Amino acid sequence: FFFRHRLVFLIMLSCGCSTRQTPEQRRARQIERILRPVGGVNETQNLLSEFLALGGTDSYWIPSGFVPSIIREYRVALPLSVDEYAPGHHYALMEFSRRNTGGHEGVEIVVNEPREEVIPVDPSGIVRKSQYTHKILHLSQKVPSFLRMLAPTGSLVVHQMTWNCYPLLFTAYKNDYMKDSFVMVIETRFEADAGQTENIFNLSAAELSKRVVDVVDFVNDPCDPRDYKASEDPSTFVSQKTGRGPLGAGWVNEQSPVMCCYSLYRLSCKWWGLQSKMESLIIRSVRRILYNMARLAWCSVDSWLGMSMEEIRAMEAQTKQYLDDIRNSGSVKGMAEK
């Protein structure tokens, strides 16, 4: 009984409730095949070329009339100045990718290049200079078991596009299986305050009524036992370079300098029968990632403070090579949801 109903559900998802595939569905199947993790020697450029030839894109679009079902604003304060943190967020992202890649899962860097353009997900519509990255996130073993059981092959591959215009960042995610049914766009601002600016993204009254603000205290909020590292505990860490720390209960009001990372997530995930569960999973995972990233960034400050952008770019090239080497070997590493 269970197998029969699961099979019917998968057929509905993959074939649009029809046993005869349209040309568009056949094309989607081809793209799914291409986007599966590859084994052996990395074949990123061939992968991307074939993907583009079938109509994929390294850019991003927002479906016309997109109305997010969730608007969530995260605020994460750090005991740093905005200028100090410029290399820090790059360093933390690279280290986080290293820790979460292996066993055919994790991060694949496809493009990393400077650009000057109108950013598709920037509401201002102006031309900006940015460092653009396109990453492929292989997640089939990092999602809960119920999702692995239901998801068709190739559907747990997500494309992440980021335009880094520090202290502004624009990020978008897409999934070529779900297409317009999955939309997540993020606008991030790094500001020299403690997180008290109430409408930093200039949201409309309608958006403000839907927005939920989540203040992430990386010092005092409880840490998931799966993620705890004594070397990244801000309540005990003291920076040798800055002399700051350890951080206590009232650190935000006591510390100078202080800055805040404001991240606005607009999300819609239309999956029949699973939308609410999927959106809750994404929101929960985002908070866990931001919390852990903040602890990593602050407690590694002595490793990255003062790094030049040339040093960061060299480290990014090394990280890409490392991820290409490690992704298809060993066991699954890092964060996963049960």
Side-chain angles (χ1 to χ4, degrees):
F1 175 84
F2 171 77
F3 176 78
R4 182 172 66 253
H5 282 264
R6 178 188 168 204
L7 181 61
V8 170
F9 183 56
L10 292 179
I11 292 172
M12 290 170 64
L13 286 175
S14 60
C15 301
C17 301
S18 171
T19 57
R20 178 176 297 177
Q21 289 188 336
T22 66
E24 290 76 14
Q25 288 168 335
R26 286 194 295 272
R27 174 175 163 276
R29 282 284 177 267
Q30 289 178 296
I31 290 178
E32 285 174 12
R33 175 179 58 80
I34 294 167
L35 294 180
R36 292 174 189 165
V38 295
V41 178
N42 181 264
E43 299 173 350
T44 296
Q45 292 306 317
N46 291 337
L47 178 78
L48 181 60
S49 298
E50 193 175 353
F51 172 56
L52 294 174
L54 284 170
T57 175
D58 73 338
S59 187
Y60 187 81
W61 65 94
I62 298 177
S64 59
F66 166 61
V67 177
S69 54
I70 290 177
I71 300 178
R72 185 67 61 102
E73 181 181 319
Y74 297 92
R75 301 178 185 178
V76 188
L78 291 167
L80 297 158
S81 71
V82 175
D83 288 342
E84 284 176 331
Y85 193 52
H89 78 286
H90 290 282
Y91 183 97
L93 282 169
M94 286 185 280
E95 181 60 26
F96 192 81
S97 296
R98 286 170 173 259
R99 294 182 183 183
N100 286 275
T101 299
H104 299 279
E105 296 290 285
V107 181
E108 179 176 3
I109 301 172
V110 181
V111 179
N112 183 7
E113 64 186 18
R115 289 192 177 181
E116 186 171 357
E117 61 186 347
V118 175
I119 297 171
V121 293
D122 178 3
S124 74
I126 65 175
V127 174
R128 296 185 190 273
K129 292 182 178 181
S130 70
Q131 186 70 21
Y132 172 79
T133 57
H134 174 184
K135 300 175 182 177
I136 300 176
L137 311 181
H138 303 279
L139 306 174
S140 62
Q141 297 301 314
K142 290 183 171 291
V143 299
S145 57
F146 83 88
L147 186 55
R148 291 199 300 272
M149 186 168 54
L150 292 174
T153 301
S155 62
L156 296 177
V157 174
V158 177
H159 291 257
Q160 178 199 71
M161 282 106 348
T162 298
W163 294 261
N164 191 329
C165 321
Y166 193 85
L168 302 176
L169 276 80
F170 302 94
T171 306
Y173 292 83
K174 69 177 180 180
N175 175 277
D176 286 283
Y177 180 81
M178 296 186 69
K179 302 189 186 317
D180 291 357
S181 294
F182 173 73
V183 180
M184 185 163 73
V185 294
I186 309 163
E187 185 176 352
T188 301
R189 294 176 177 267
F190 300 95
E191 297 289 335
D193 64 37
Q196 67 269 41
T197 304
E198 285 307 313
N199 190 14
I200 200 165
F201 297 103
N202 297 315
L203 301 181
S204 66
E207 289 174 314
L208 286 172
S209 69
K210 185 181 286 189
R211 178 194 66 171
V212 174
V213 175
D214 187 349
V215 177
V216 179
D217 185 339
F218 80 107
V219 178
N220 298 298
D221 288 352
C223 182
D224 189 316
R226 296 173 294 175
D227 302 328
Y228 180 79
K229 293 180 175 61
S231 61
E232 293 175 6
D233 187 337
S235 68
T236 59
F237 172 75
V238 178
S239 166
Q240 299 303 307
K241 285 188 175 180
T242 68
R244 301 168 204 162
L247 305 178
W251 76 269
V252 173
N253 299 318
E254 300 167 355
Q255 181 64 51
S256 180
V258 67
M259 58 162 284
C260 184
C261 169
Y262 294 83
S263 292
L264 184 73
Y265 283 67
R266 292 181 172 93
L267 168 66
S268 178
C269 182
K270 299 176 183 178
W271 192 333
W272 182 78
L274 290 174
Q275 178 168 348
S276 177
K277 197 164 188 175
M278 287 294 296
E279 291 177 341
S280 296
L281 170 65
I282 292 170
I283 290 301
R284 184 171 70 250
S285 298
V286 166
R287 193 186 205 281
R288 184 180 170 196
I289 290 170
L290 294 177
Y291 175 88
N292 288 331
M293 284 278 291
R295 290 168 77 94
L296 165 61
W298 167 239
C299 294
S300 63
V301 62
D302 291 344
S303 297
W304 55 257
L305 187 65
M307 288 182 72
S308 68
M309 290 313 299
E310 289 74 18
E311 291 172 317
I312 288 292
R313 295 289 169 253
M315 186 177 178
E316 287 174 341
Q318 293 169 359
T319 298
K320 172 179 167 49
Q321 185 60 56
Y322 175 84
L323 297 178
D324 288 345
D325 292 341
I326 199 67
R327 187 173 54 257
N328 296 307
S329 63
S331 58
V332 177
K333 295 165 55 179
M335 287 178 54
E337 294 292 342
K338 295 181 179 179

